[in-house]
């Protein structure tokens, strides 16, 4: 079942961020745009490349008023150990949420029950806590964090311009569409 258009559920979790352990809840994902990126496991292979890529886009995402959260079913302690021992993960400045109870992974419907690990799911959430975009990739397919920037810009544009929509391949400053009877059959 798709979570797009639905409000995120409630949760409490421990996280690692910039040398500290912090508490995180669904309330932390509200009041700004958020990217929540689930991944299977710390100390793995594709995951550090994705998290490093997300860090490389972090300043741009922050400039768009967007906060970033990564989530795996590992603990916040394991996140710290991985951060301390991986060149790729050691650069991360955003919040790394631990989900050992698997509650958050279940809330976002990305838990692989057989393995007890999160799938590669990415969610873009608006300031009201509503999921605006989601994707889930197979375990062996890494993601490209630069793609989130255009999605967030489109989501922000549509939120600020009710009645307009962004067509495929839309870039900031490009033409949008205003759905209506006069547009039917003309695209």
């Amino acid at each position: 079942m798709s979570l797009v258009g639905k409000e995120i559920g409630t949760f409490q979790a421990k996280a690692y961020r910039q040398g500290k352990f912090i508490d995180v809840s669904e309330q932390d994902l509200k009041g700004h745009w958020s990217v929540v990126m689930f991944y299977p496991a710390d100390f793995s292979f594709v995951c550090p490349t994705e998290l490093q890529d997300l860090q490389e886009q972090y300043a741009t995402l922050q400039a768009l008023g967007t906060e970033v959260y990564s989530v795996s079913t590992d603990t916040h302690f394991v996140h710290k150990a991985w951060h301390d021992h991986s060149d790729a993960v050691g650069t991360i400045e955003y919040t790394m949420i631990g989900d050992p109870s698997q509650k958050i992974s279940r809330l976002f419907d990305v838990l692989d029950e057989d393995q007890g690990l999160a799938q590669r799911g990415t969610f873009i959430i608006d300031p009201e806590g509503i999921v605006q975009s989601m994707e889930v990739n197979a375990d062996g397919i890494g993601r490209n964090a630069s793609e989130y920037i255009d999605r967030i810009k489109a989501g922000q544009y549509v939120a600020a311009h009710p009645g307009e929509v962004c067509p495929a391949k839309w870039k900031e400053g490009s033409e949008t569409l205003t759905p209506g009877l006069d547009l039917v059959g003309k695209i």
Side-chain angles (χ1 to χ4, degrees), residues 2 14 21 36 38 53 56 75 80 102 110 113 122 127 143 148 160 168 178 180 186-187:
S2 175
K14 296 284 186 188
F21 293 131
V36 180
F38 289 85
D53 180 44
E56 290 168 1
T75 68
K80 181 193 183 313
Q102 304 170 341
V110 294
E113 295 281 352
T122 307
R143 294 162 280 186
Y148 310 149
T178 304
K186 296 188 176 148
I187 298 176

Side-chain angles (χ1 to χ4, degrees), residues 132-146:
Q132 295 297 319
S133 175
M134 64 177 278
E135 72 173 326
V136 180
N137 291 4
D139 191 40
I141 302 172
R143 294 162 280 186
N144 179 348
S146 65

Side-chain angles (χ1 to χ4, degrees), residues 140-159:
I141 302 172
R143 294 162 280 186
N144 179 348
S146 65
E147 294 173 0
Y148 310 149
I149 294 165
D150 287 337
R151 284 190 220 159
I152 290 166
K153 287 180 179 180
Q156 290 174 340
Y157 184 90
V158 169

